[in-house]
Amino acid sequence: MPETRIRSDLHGVIWKIEVAVGDRVAQGDTLILIESMKMEIPVSAPCAGVVSGIFVKEEQQVAEGEILAMITV
Amino acid sequence: MVWQPELDELRERERLARAMGGPEKVKRQHDGGRLTVRERIDRLLDEASFHEIGAIAGSAEYDGSGALCGFTPSNTVFGRGTIEGRPVVVVGDDFTVRGGSADATIHEKTVMAEQMANEFRLPVIRIIEGSGGGGSVKTIETKGRANLPGGVGGTDAFYYCTANLAVVPVVSLGLGSVAGLGAARLAASHYSVMTRSSAVFVAGPPVVARVGQVLGKQELGGWEIQTRCGAVDDAVDTEDEAFAAARRFLSYLPTSVQSLPPLTASDDDPVRRDDNLMSAVPRDRRKVYKTRPIVETLVDHGSFFEIGRNFGRSVITGLARLEGRPIAMLASDPYHYGGSWTADACNKLTRFVDLAQTFHLPVVYLMDCPGFMIGLEAEKAATIRHGVRAMAAVNQCNVPWCTIIMRNSFGVAGAVHQPAGRLSLRYAWPSAYWGSLPLEGGIEAAYRAEIDAAADPAAKLREIEHRLNRLRSPFRTAETFWVEEIIDPRDTRRLLCEFSRLAQPLLTPGSSSFPMRP
C-alpha cells in the first residue's frame, strides 16, 4: 500500500491536530494546524486515504521539511 | 550554373552538420526522452522560421587528395527565428556532439549569438544541455595548456552574460544535465525553466564525489532542489512545456528595453466585479486565505503567468495583463509564514522588481505582509540585509506602482509596499490592518512599567490590548489621511485597469539607470 509522507512547509509550532491515526480523510482535508507568525496555517491531505501515522504533538516546534504525518492510500 | 559544384558542396556540408553527432548519438538522445537541439529549436520557434548561422562550422577531416572525408559539427547551434511573429535569437547546445562539452565547441558561435541579441536588440533564448560549452579537462591535451577562465580574449561570453540582462529578455532552458558554465548561463537569465527529469549543478556527481558526497544527479541538482532554492525559476514535465513557458514569458515583454511591452486585445470586462472578493479575506486574523484566486480574478481572464512558485513562497510573483496591458504582479501568500518576508522572499522580490524596472512593466502589489520573518533562523539568514536590498529595489524603480492593502502591513517590510518618495496609487480593503509592530509582544515592550506595576499583570495586558484595538480601525487612519482610500474589494479590478491606463503614457523606453543583475 503506497504511503504518502506529509512534511511541514515551514517552521512553526503545532497548534492543533485535527485527525487521529486510523481516520479516513479526503484530499484537501485539514490534518494539522501549524502556528507560524501568529497565523494558523493548515496542513491538508495531499490525497485521500487513512491516516497511518502522526509524528508530532501539539505545542511541539517543527522545522521546514519535517515529517508530520503519513497517509496510506 | 558556373558555381554549381560549390553549391553542391555547401549543401553536402550542411547535410553533414544536420546529422549532428551521428545516428547512434541521436538515438541515445531520443532514448533518454530528450529531443536533439535541432528538434528543440524547431519546436520552440514559429514553424519554419529558423535561419541558422554558422551551420557548417566544425572540425573536418580530409583525405590525401584534399577531399572532405569526415565532419563533426560544432556543438553550438544558433541563429534567428520568430516567436509569435517577433524576431529572436536562439542558441542551443548539441549534446550528441561530445556531450555538449568545450572541446567540440566553437566558442565564437555562442558569443556571436549573444552579441547579435545585444546589438540587434532581440530576445535571446538559450537551450542548455551539458556544460554549455564550458570546461572539460580534455582541453588541456587538445590545446596543450590549461585554461585560465577569463584569460586573454576569453571574457566575451561572460561580458554578454551580464550585459544582455540590461538590454534584452534572456530566457534559458535547462534540458538534460546542466553543469558548470551551462548552469551559470541558465541562472544568468530573466527567466529559467528546467524539465523535471533534468539536473542542474555547478559540478556533477563525479566531481562532487571527490569532495566526499556520493550523490546521484537528481539528488544533487534535481528540480525540487533548484526551484526551491531559487537557482532555477520553474520546472515542467516535458520539453514542449518548457518551450511553451519560454514563449509565454516573452509575450509580456518588449523585444528589448528600447521598446515597450506589447499590447494585446482583451475581451475581459474592465469593470467586472467578483462578489467572492467580499469574503476573500477572513475576519479572523489568525486564519489564512489563498491569494492566487484573488490574483486570477483581478487580472484579465487567464493572463496570470506565475514565475518562481517554489522559491521565497511568502511572495507570489508573475506577469499578467490588465485590459491587455502587461503588468508585473506581486502578491503576498499568507500560507507561508503569514506572508512575512523571508530572506528568500526578499531576494525573489528584488529580482522581480528589477525585471519590471528593466522592461517597463507597471507593478501591482496585492499586499498582506506582517513584516520581515522573525526568529533565530531568520536572523541567521540575514533577513534584514536581504530585506533592505528589496527595499532599495522598490525605492530605486521608477515604473508606475499600485498597491492594494488586503490585510497586514507591519514594520519596515510593511513600509516597503510602494516606492518611497514618489506618488503611487494605494487602496486599502476594509480588512486592512496595520501598525509599527504587532500588539502581541509589542504591548509587553511598550507598556512594561505599567504592566509590572499592576496587581494583575495579565488582566492589565488584556485591558491595554482592548484599549488599543478600539483605535485600530482603518477608518481612524483614513480620517487622519494616513491612508488615502478604503475601497469595496469588488471595485479593485476596475481601479487596477484604470491604473494600467494611467500608467501606459508614463512608460518610457530606454535603459534603466541601473543595470539588472541575475
Side-chain angles (χ1 to χ4, degrees):
Chain A
M1 281 194 294
E3 286 171 336
T4 302
R5 293 169 184 187
I6 293 118
R7 291 175 189 273
S8 177
D9 255 352
L10 31 74
H11 294 269
V13 176
I14 301 297
W15 170 249
K16 273 179 193 156
I17 298 173
E18 307 265 274
V19 291
V21 171
D23 284 2
R24 180 162 287 281
V25 292
Q27 184 182 351
D29 282 0
T30 298
L31 308 175
I32 289 170
L33 288 164
I34 297 178
E35 184 180 26
S36 186
M37 297 297 282
K38 299 178 219 88
M39 309 287 286
E40 296 166 19
I41 318 276
V43 177
S44 7
C47 54
V50 173
V51 178
S52 51
I54 293 174
F55 310 112
V56 289
K57 292 194 195 76
E58 289 182 358
E59 292 181 30
Q60 176 190 333
Q61 290 245 6
V62 290
E64 194 171 318
E66 201 168 319
I67 297 171
L68 307 173
M70 195 156 65
I71 290 179
T72 303
V73 178
Chain B
M1 296 300 204
V2 178
W3 296 100
Q4 191 61 45
E6 282 78 4
L7 204 59
D8 291 344
E9 180 172 346
L10 177 63
R11 296 300 172 232
E12 173 60 10
R13 284 174 180 259
E14 286 169 349
R15 190 188 65 75
L16 292 169
R18 280 196 296 271
M20 297 175 279
E24 232 170 79
K25 293 285 176 61
V26 168
K27 182 174 182 304
R28 213 156 98 189
Q29 183 82 356
H30 286 156
D31 288 348
R34 301 190 308 279
L35 299 169
T36 66
V37 66
R38 290 176 181 281
E39 291 164 338
R40 286 169 175 169
I41 289 172
D42 286 345
R43 294 201 190 191
L44 168 72
L45 298 176
D46 293 344
E47 202 182 338
S49 73
F50 184 48
H51 172 80
E52 189 174 356
I53 297 155
I56 65 168
S59 59
E61 289 162 40
Y62 294 91
D63 63 17
S65 68
L68 185 70
C69 64
F71 180 73
T72 307
S74 144
N75 57 16
T76 300
V77 177
F78 95 100
R80 290 183 300 274
T82 60
I83 286 182
E84 306 299 337
R86 297 196 299 164
V88 296
V89 171
V90 59
V91 54
D93 301 321
D94 185 353
F95 200 71
T96 68
V97 177
R98 308 262 177 89
S101 161
D103 54 318
T105 296
I106 296 178
H107 174 72
E108 290 77 2
K109 289 183 82 173
T110 315
V111 173
M112 188 181 280
E114 299 280 340
Q115 184 180 15
M116 182 174 288
N118 188 286
E119 295 187 18
F120 281 75
R121 299 176 181 172
L122 304 174
V124 59
I125 301 144
R126 304 175 186 144
I127 298 174
I128 304 171
E129 182 174 9
S131 59
S136 155
V137 292
K138 265 193 189 170
T139 57
I140 298 174
E141 279 201 313
T142 56
K143 297 206 169 166
R145 55 133 173 94
N147 175 42
L148 166 64
V152 178
T155 60
D156 288 0
F158 298 106
Y159 168 76
Y160 287 114
C161 226
T162 302
N164 277 348
L165 289 173
V167 180
V168 292
V170 178
V171 176
S172 293
L173 313 178
L175 307 176
S177 296
V178 174
L181 178 59
R185 293 175 69 225
L186 183 68
S189 307
H190 296 113
Y191 181 62
S192 59
V193 59
M194 66 189 285
T195 51
R196 291 198 170 88
S197 55
S198 296
V200 175
F201 22 65
V202 173
V207 182
V208 169
R210 292 291 291 265
V211 297
Q213 296 180 8
V214 180
L215 297 165
K217 284 181 180 178
Q218 290 290 326
E219 291 171 301
L220 179 61
W223 69 273
E224 282 175 306
I225 293 168
Q226 296 296 11
T227 59
R228 190 71 181 259
C229 71
V232 176
D233 291 315
D234 286 319
V236 292
D237 285 326
T238 65
E239 295 195 3
D240 279 331
E241 287 172 84
F243 307 143
R247 295 173 67 100
R248 183 144 188 223
F249 176 78
L250 289 173
S251 75
Y252 299 88
L253 299 185
T255 51
S256 84
V257 300
Q258 299 302 336
S259 49
L260 293 179
L263 308 180
T264 49
S266 164
D267 54 10
D268 198 352
D269 183 1
V271 297
R272 178 168 52 76
R273 285 161 68 89
D274 183 349
D275 283 338
N276 291 323
L277 291 173
M278 280 298 278
S279 41
V281 179
R283 197 171 273 282
D284 181 348
R285 283 195 297 267
R286 288 179 55 84
K287 298 278 187 262
V288 295
Y289 57 94
K290 293 190 171 158
T291 312
R292 285 180 183 83
I294 298 176
V295 172
E296 297 279 357
T297 194
L298 292 178
V299 300
D300 292 352
H301 178 72
S303 75
F304 182 54
F305 177 69
E306 186 170 353
I307 297 170
R309 186 180 180 125
N310 289 345
F311 173 59
R313 293 177 298 170
S314 47
V315 168
I316 296 169
T317 56
L319 304 174
R321 292 191 180 85
L322 290 167
E323 286 187 307
R325 296 179 202 90
I327 54 130
M329 173 61 76
L330 193 58
S332 308
D333 186 355
Y335 267 77
H336 292 281
Y337 301 113
S340 59
W341 285 8
T342 59
D344 279 356
C346 291
N347 282 330
K348 179 180 185 176
L349 191 139
T350 299
R351 187 161 158 255
F352 185 70
V353 172
D354 283 355
L355 176 81
Q357 164 72 7
T358 301
F359 293 109
H360 325 300
L361 295 161
V363 177
V364 171
Y365 179 19
L366 306 180
M367 182 206 202
D368 180 354
C369 179
F372 289 125
M373 183 67 188
I374 59 170
L376 179 60
E377 290 304 314
E379 300 302 338
K380 285 181 176 174
T383 305
I384 197 66
R385 163 69 54 208
H386 301 293
V388 292
R389 276 183 77 85
M391 175 165 76
V394 172
N395 289 346
Q396 287 173 343
C397 83
N398 57 23
V399 286
W401 188 290
C402 180
T403 302
I404 308 293
I405 306 177
M406 300 189 296
R407 185 149 72 175
N408 293 302
S409 178
F410 281 86
V412 176
V416 192
H417 65 259
Q418 58 180 17
R422 68 181 170 98
L423 190 65
S424 302
L425 298 188
R426 171 170 52 196
Y427 304 98
W429 284 0
S431 44
Y433 181 68
W434 39 59
S436 299
L437 73 167
L439 290 189
E440 303 89 340
I443 297 178
E444 289 90 324
Y447 291 85
R448 185 77 273 162
E450 198 178 329
I451 292 167
D452 285 349
D456 182 348
K460 190 75 192 169
L461 185 72
R462 282 195 302 276
E463 181 209 308
I464 298 170
E465 189 169 346
H466 177 70
R467 213 164 72 206
L468 298 186
N469 264 332
R470 283 175 49 205
L471 301 173
R472 299 198 72 150
S473 153
F475 295 119
R476 288 201 174 234
T477 310
E479 200 176 282
T480 57
F481 201 58
W482 196 240
V483 69
E484 53 277 77
E485 242 183 300
I486 298 170
I487 60 166
D488 180 335
R490 291 169 295 188
D491 290 332
T492 308
R493 175 170 161 82
R494 174 174 65 77
L495 291 166
L496 289 181
C497 286
E498 187 218 13
F499 163 70
S500 80
R501 279 194 296 278
L502 294 171
Q504 190 62 32
L506 307 181
L507 304 177
T508 315
S511 298
S512 170
S513 57
F514 54 94
M516 177 169 176
R517 294 179 189 182

